[in-house]
Amino acid sequence: MRIRSTVAAASGALVLSALAVPAAHAASADPVISKITINGGKNTVLGTTAPRIITVSVTASHASGIESGWLILWHGKDQDEGMDGALLPNEDEPTCKAASATTSTCSLTITVNPKVDLPKNVLAGSWHVLAGAEAKDGSSYYSDYAATTKVQRLSKLTVNAAPEPVKKGKTITVTGKLSRANWEDHAYHGYTGQPVKLQFRKKTSSTYTTVKTIKTNSTGNLKTTVKASVDGYWRYSFAGTSTTPAITTAGDFVDVK
């Protein structure tokens, strides 16, 4: 089967204008999709300019065997009127590997270019997966809502603990900044009002513990103070949101005299 898909601009939004798939047969004869994998099960994270190539796959079964499978990622409420983004496969034909006479996994790649495919920040978050499969007897099945996946704005986080060294009992000031990619102006801006954990690890330990949680200010900056007690490493850790991935800094060592 040859998948033919095009994306056209309409009313300022991306819409899927054509997807050639075989007509679905009776439910009892349909292939059954058992697994969908997007980017190895990880969220797809994009910065401001660099494209990413992700692998997507659909695993399906049918008594006659699987001829082909396909995946498309789309964003919005529905494909008729509410779709504002679509990510299409690079290939016309998937690569299908048979696990048995009845089951195969068909794989494709998708190139995601933030400067082309993600023109608005509102596209960050949950995306729908259209997935389908065609059996060797010609029967087929597909669903516009086969699964969901997340496409996120790349996050950055910094930390600096000072002064270094410091006398025991004196104050350490720990600063940093949480920022994320802006797909509209292709720059990084502070992520405001976000809870970030300040964590500490003793020089003799391998485990970090949370000392306190503070929020980023209006420009994404972080600043707090703690008392110096022992040598160790200070770091910030952000748990992430639906639109922005979690990130943790490396530890910044402070020598306590």
Side-chain angles (χ1 to χ4, degrees):
M1 183 193 74
R2 187 174 182 81
I3 302 170
R4 293 179 290 110
S5 306
T6 61
V7 175
S11 301
L14 290 175
V15 295
L16 190 66
S17 62
L19 171 64
V21 297
H25 289 228
S28 60
D30 289 346
V32 175
I33 294 176
S34 58
K35 185 177 181 181
I36 292 170
T37 303
I38 310 295
N39 193 32
K42 300 178 181 179
N43 297 334
T44 300
V45 180
L46 278 299
T48 56
T49 58
R52 285 199 61 191
I53 298 176
I54 63 171
T55 298
V56 299
S57 66
V58 54
T59 301
S61 301
H62 190 269
S64 68
I66 296 298
E67 179 68 23
S68 185
W70 59 91
L71 285 174
I72 289 174
L73 308 186
W74 64 278
H75 185 272
K77 294 182 179 180
D78 61 75
Q79 290 196 20
D80 292 329
E81 297 179 355
M83 188 171 70
D84 56 5
L87 299 173
L88 309 181
N90 296 319
E91 303 87 1
D92 289 321
E93 297 285 353
T95 298
C96 296
K97 294 184 178 180
S100 67
T102 60
T103 303
S104 292
T105 296
C106 296
S107 300
L108 296 151
T109 63
I110 295 176
T111 299
V112 190
N113 186 335
K115 297 190 74 172
V116 176
D117 303 308
L118 305 171
K120 298 179 181 180
N121 291 325
V122 294
L123 293 174
S126 183
W127 283 59
H128 300 290
V129 180
L130 181 157
E134 180 188 8
K136 290 185 176 180
D137 70 354
S139 60
S140 66
Y141 168 84
Y142 76 93
S143 171
D144 291 344
Y145 302 90
T148 59
T149 188
K150 283 188 172 64
V151 179
Q152 297 179 311
R153 297 161 62 180
L154 180 66
S155 54
K156 294 183 178 182
L157 184 60
T158 63
V159 66
N160 182 56
E164 305 171 50
V166 65
K167 290 183 179 181
K168 185 174 182 180
K170 294 296 184 178
T171 298
I172 297 172
T173 300
V174 187
T175 58
K177 183 171 184 175
L178 175 64
S179 57
R180 60 176 176 166
N182 186 308
W183 293 336
E184 296 176 11
D185 65 5
H186 312 298
Y188 284 85
H189 299 281
Y191 198 4
T192 66
Q194 298 303 308
V196 179
K197 294 179 180 179
L198 175 66
Q199 299 178 328
F200 177 71
R201 174 172 69 87
K202 292 181 181 179
K203 181 180 179 180
T204 56
S205 173
S206 60
T207 304
Y208 278 92
T209 58
T210 298
V211 177
K212 63 174 76 173
T213 299
I214 62 173
K215 286 190 175 182
T216 57
N217 67 9
S218 60
T219 56
N221 289 313
L222 295 157
K223 184 177 181 180
T224 190
T225 58
V226 291
K227 293 295 184 181
S229 57
V230 295
D231 293 353
Y233 298 85
W234 296 92
R235 73 180 187 183
Y236 279 124
S237 182
F238 172 58
T241 63
S242 61
T243 62
T244 310
I247 186 171
T248 300
T249 67
D252 186 20
F253 182 75
V254 175
D255 181 15
V256 179
K257 299 294 187 182

